[in-house]
């Protein structure tokens, strides 16, 4: 047998499946591109990805987060764009990726795939890594892309992350098109006056994160005009919040209780962690009291 | 009798029988014989059950013919037993079905598997047949590692994987071999579809 070749499909079926179970996500992706049969074999391996995020900045990247094993695999899709015109999302001319893993040295690869449009890549990744949802993130210089071509290729994300793209009109278009969204994360710099508009704040969200620079106001200033009652840390941390889907969590740090117009109590906990400030909002419906 | 009243006996330590290490004899399909320790055999679920069922004594091992392993050759079996002897007494990993499976190749195993791919293929086959879980894991890991740094096209050549066209051609050939009329029927069906009929019946 040639030492550069190994007949994988001639192994007993449990053995070839075992090889697939041991392969890293990046190796599985490469395997899935060989043929329909190879793709089916990868799908049946049932590796579940935690998150697929399309990251739009200077270039388009797809970040695959597997959580437990190979932490993040970051694919960059290189496209040739006309000078002067807005960049259209198009068939990538080549792809590079860097695999970071707790177990392997970080590696860089590059290859061409002339068959796939960008949307085909996304569908392929969703299929082989058994994930229906994807996230989309806009970052610096994303405004250079033609918004219509973004809409065409990245439909129905379930999570949106927005940093300032460099153009407020473009930022606005992002919210207009993609909202409502289950998970929303935004930077206050996205808005000219750094204030999050009410129509964004007033909606049903599963998770909402606002990123703001520290000098935009301290805790006292934020709560200055809001009538509230401070609950000491020892007392606050005894309160348990029952989540709708995933168990429960205790309140942390000092609490600030306030009441909605309909009498429902809410608590805000502000925590300083690793030089960042986190705000936790708890709304105490009857079914949320643990 | 209470413990206090039990007779005190001087014990001659030399007279206590020392449990002898038990070895088994195995023979490959090309008539090569191997002596393998009982503890090493425990790494193989298949062989362990076999020797338990046979209930051999040390005398039986010497007097009876070696246990034949008919579908593994001497070269492969030598590697298998070297691996089992080196890892004897180690816990056998339990497969919890987790995906992905984390496997690392120890230095000894890496040296043992510094072999050509033909022999590696036989080694995996043997590890599966003899149900040696950890040997199967490390040898499969070696195969998985062959994908590192390769493009999909290179990977196809390394693993000898057929393209869609080759799969399709193989499928057609298999169908034709099974039923010579299948091709004619398929063509007839395609022709009717072209003529606008959406049902074959």
């Amino acid at each position: 047998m040639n030492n550069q070749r190994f007949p994988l499909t001639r192994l007993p079926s449990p053995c070839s499946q075992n090889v697939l179970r041991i392969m890293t996500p990046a190796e599985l992706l490469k395997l899935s591109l060989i043929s329909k049969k190879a793709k089916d074999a990868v799908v049946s391996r049932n590796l579940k990805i935690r998150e697929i995020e399309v990251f739009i900045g200077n270039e388009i990247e797809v970040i695959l987060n597997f959580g437990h094993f190979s932490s993040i695999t970051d694919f960059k899709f290189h496209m040739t764009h006309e000078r002067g015109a807005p960049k259209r999302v198009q068939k990538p001319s080549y792809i590079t990726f860097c695999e970071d893993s707790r177990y392997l040295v970080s590696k860089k690869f590059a290859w061409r795939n002339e068959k796939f449009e960008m949307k085909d890549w996304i569908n392929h990744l969703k299929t082989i890594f058994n994930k229906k949802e994807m996230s989309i993130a806009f970052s610096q210089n994303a405004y250079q892309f033609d918004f219509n071509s973004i809409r065409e290729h990245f439909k129905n994300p379930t999570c949106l992350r927005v940093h300032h793209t460099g153009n407020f009109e473009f930022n606005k278009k992002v919210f207009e098109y993609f909202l409502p969204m289950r998970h929303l994360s935004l930077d206050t710099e996205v808005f000219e006056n750094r204030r999050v508009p009410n129509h964004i704040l007033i909606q049903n969200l599963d998770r909402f994160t606002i990123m703001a620079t520290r000098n935009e106001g301290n805790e006292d200033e934020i709560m200055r005009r809001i009538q509230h009652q401070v609950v000491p840390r020892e007392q606050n941390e005894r309160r348990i919040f029952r989540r709708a889907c995933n168990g429960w969590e205790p309140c942390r740090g000092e609490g600030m209780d306030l009441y909605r117009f309909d009498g429902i109590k809410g608590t805000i906990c502000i925590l300083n962690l690793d030089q960042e400030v986190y705000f936790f909002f708890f709304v105490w419906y009857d079914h949320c009291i643990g | 009798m209470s413990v206090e009243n039990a007779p005190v006996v001087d014990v001659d330590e030399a007279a206590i029988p020392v449990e002898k290490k038990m070895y088994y004899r195995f023979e490959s399909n090309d008539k090569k014989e191997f002596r393998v320790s009982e503890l090493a055999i425990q790494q193989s679920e298949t062989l362990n059950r076999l020797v338990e069922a046979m209930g051999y004594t040390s005398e039986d091992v010497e007097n009876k013919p070696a246990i034949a392993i008919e579908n593994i050759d001497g070269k492969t079996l030598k590697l298998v037993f070297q691996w089992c002897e080196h890892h004897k007494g180690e816990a056998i990993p339990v497969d919890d079905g987790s995906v992905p499976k984390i496997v690392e190749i120890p230095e000894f195993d890496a040296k043992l598997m510094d072999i050509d791919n033909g022999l590696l293929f036989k080694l995996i086959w043997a590890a599966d047949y003899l149900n040696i879980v950890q040997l199967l894991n490390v040898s499969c890991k070696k195969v998985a590692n062959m994908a590192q740094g390769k493009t999909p096209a290179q990977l196809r050549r390394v693993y000898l994987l057929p393209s869609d066209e080759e799969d399709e051609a193989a499928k057609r050939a298999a169908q034709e071999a099974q039923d010579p009329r299948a091709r004619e029927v398929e063509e007839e069906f395609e022709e009717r579809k072209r003529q606008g009929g959406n049902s074959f019946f």
Side-chain angles (χ1 to χ4, degrees):
Chain A
M1 192 182 290
N2 182 326
N3 219 28
Q4 303 300 311
R5 310 268 190 270
F6 189 91
L8 186 61
T9 54
R10 278 169 52 199
L11 281 175
S13 176
C15 301
S16 52
Q17 282 167 15
N18 203 32
V19 172
L20 261 60
R21 277 185 61 196
I22 291 168
M23 279 185 172
T24 64
E27 287 154 7
L28 284 174
L29 169 62
K30 290 185 280 184
L31 200 65
S32 72
L33 294 167
I34 291 171
S35 68
K36 282 181 202 154
K37 234 177 170 177
K39 181 181 166 188
D40 290 344
V42 172
V43 173
S44 68
R45 184 182 176 268
N46 208 20
L47 173 61
K48 287 192 168 62
I49 196 168
R50 183 182 284 177
E51 187 182 24
I52 299 175
E53 184 185 72
V54 175
F55 183 92
I56 304 171
N58 268 325
E59 288 176 284
I60 294 180
E61 294 171 42
V62 176
I63 296 159
L64 307 179
N65 184 352
F66 291 91
H68 51 314
F69 171 64
S70 177
S71 55
I72 284 175
T73 304
D74 187 0
F75 290 84
K76 279 189 182 167
F77 293 86
H78 301 268
M79 298 165 190
T80 316
H81 302 287
E82 280 177 44
R83 283 193 174 197
K87 296 175 178 178
R88 285 193 64 78
V89 179
Q90 50 189 295
K91 195 183 278 187
S93 46
Y94 68 100
I95 301 130
T96 53
F97 74 89
C98 182
E99 186 186 19
D100 290 321
S101 160
R102 277 185 287 158
Y103 300 95
L104 299 166
V105 179
S106 191
K107 293 171 292 177
K108 269 195 174 168
F109 300 105
W111 81 72
R112 290 176 188 280
N113 179 310
E114 279 149 17
K115 282 190 281 184
F116 281 10
E117 295 280 355
M118 198 62 229
K119 57 190 166 196
D120 301 324
W121 273 107
I122 300 297
N123 288 337
H124 186 82
L125 292 169
K126 281 181 175 176
T127 307
I128 62 167
F129 295 130
N130 301 287
K131 185 87 181 168
K132 285 182 185 154
E133 301 90 17
M134 65 147 198
S135 311
I136 190 162
F138 290 87
S139 188
Q140 207 176 3
N141 295 331
Y143 76 92
Q144 294 174 3
F145 280 91
D146 174 63
F147 192 75
N148 289 334
S149 74
I150 289 175
R151 282 192 336 190
E152 188 191 327
H153 283 81
F154 309 114
K155 286 180 181 152
N156 308 320
T158 50
C159 177
L160 174 66
R161 192 154 61 88
V162 193
H163 297 273
H164 185 32
T165 62
N167 181 309
F168 292 114
E169 265 311 298
F170 189 93
N171 299 347
K172 206 173 148 192
K173 267 188 196 171
V174 169
F175 290 117
E176 277 171 7
Y177 179 70
F178 287 107
L179 291 183
M181 186 72 57
R182 276 169 52 198
H183 297 165
L184 174 63
S185 171
L186 55 86
D187 196 324
T188 50
E189 287 186 8
V190 164
F191 309 102
E192 267 179 287
N193 58 5
R194 298 197 171 193
R195 285 178 184 275
V196 186
N198 279 352
H199 73 274
I200 291 178
L201 293 171
I202 304 169
Q203 51 180 323
N204 281 325
L205 291 154
D206 288 349
R207 197 175 69 218
F208 183 38
T209 311
I210 302 175
M211 292 167 280
T213 44
R214 175 95 189 174
N215 60 10
E216 283 179 42
N218 57 31
E219 295 145 40
D220 295 338
E221 214 175 311
I222 291 165
M223 298 303 288
R224 191 154 49 102
R225 292 187 188 170
I226 303 170
Q227 203 174 30
H228 67 278
Q229 185 189 345
V230 175
V231 181
R233 182 184 176 146
E234 309 76 52
Q235 198 184 327
N236 187 42
E237 290 189 344
R238 282 203 294 269
R239 299 196 285 191
I240 305 291
F241 183 82
R242 205 179 280 274
R243 287 197 199 129
C245 46
N246 280 334
W248 52 271
E249 70 175 284
C251 289
R252 289 190 284 175
E254 198 178 71
M256 283 172 275
D257 283 358
L258 59 164
Y259 289 86
R260 230 165 57 170
F261 65 91
D262 59 1
I264 300 280
K265 185 165 77 174
T267 298
I268 300 172
C269 303
I270 304 176
L271 287 183
N272 286 283
L273 297 169
D274 300 329
Q275 296 183 325
E276 288 185 334
V277 183
Y278 292 85
F279 291 75
F280 294 88
F281 294 83
F282 300 97
V283 180
W284 300 102
Y285 291 106
D286 287 346
H287 61 270
C288 297
I289 301 169
Chain B
M1 190 190 294
S2 69
V3 176
E4 288 83 0
N5 298 329
V8 178
V9 182
D10 286 332
V11 176
D12 177 7
E13 287 189 9
I16 299 172
V18 178
E19 202 180 326
K20 274 176 70 180
K21 270 189 183 172
M22 179 86 168
Y23 282 84
Y24 289 90
R25 287 163 54 229
F26 294 96
E27 190 180 80
S28 63
N29 62 5
D30 50 358
K31 307 290 172 205
K32 298 224 169 74
E33 199 178 296
F34 300 89
R35 288 175 73 84
V36 188
S37 70
E38 191 179 21
L39 199 55
I41 286 168
Q42 285 171 8
Q43 288 293 325
S44 161
E45 197 187 321
T46 309
L47 294 182
N48 199 33
R49 281 195 183 162
L50 184 71
V51 296
E52 267 178 19
M54 286 174 141
Y56 273 14
T57 61
S58 305
E59 288 74 34
D60 290 335
V61 171
E62 296 307 326
N63 298 332
K64 293 187 176 177
I67 302 164
I69 303 178
E70 286 179 351
N71 34 17
I72 304 176
D73 64 31
K75 208 172 169 184
T76 312
L77 212 49
K78 185 180 173 189
L79 289 175
V80 169
F81 289 141
Q82 273 179 345
W83 188 93
C84 290
E85 288 291 356
H86 185 82
H87 292 280
K88 65 185 171 194
E90 289 179 14
I92 295 166
V94 179
D95 191 348
D96 59 0
S98 64
V99 177
K101 201 169 174 178
I102 310 297
V103 178
E104 286 183 55
I105 305 178
E107 202 182 333
F108 174 86
D109 297 10
K111 277 186 187 159
L112 185 90
M113 292 190 297
D114 189 12
I115 49 179
D116 68 64
N117 283 349
L119 191 52
L120 180 65
F121 183 87
K122 287 181 184 175
L123 182 66
I124 295 175
W125 204 96
D128 180 52
Y129 177 70
L130 299 174
N131 207 349
I132 307 173
V133 179
Q134 188 56 7
L135 177 58
L136 187 62
N137 283 341
V138 290
S139 51
C140 285
K141 173 73 178 173
K142 174 144 178 156
V143 177
N145 284 350
M146 290 175 192
Q148 283 179 8
K150 305 279 193 311
T151 64
Q154 289 168 331
L155 213 57
R156 193 168 82 78
R157 289 193 289 275
V158 170
Y159 289 138
L160 302 170
L161 296 171
S163 63
D164 284 337
E165 294 74 27
E166 287 165 336
D167 274 333
E168 201 54 44
K171 193 177 156 191
R172 270 201 307 274
Q175 273 175 355
E176 280 172 15
Q178 198 179 18
D179 178 6
R181 190 162 143 65
R183 181 90 186 136
E184 287 171 37
V185 173
E186 202 177 309
E187 280 170 3
E188 204 176 325
F189 176 68
E190 288 299 323
E191 182 56 33
R192 283 179 186 234
K193 252 180 35 180
R194 270 197 296 276
Q195 286 169 3
N198 55 7
S199 167
F200 190 64
F201 299 102

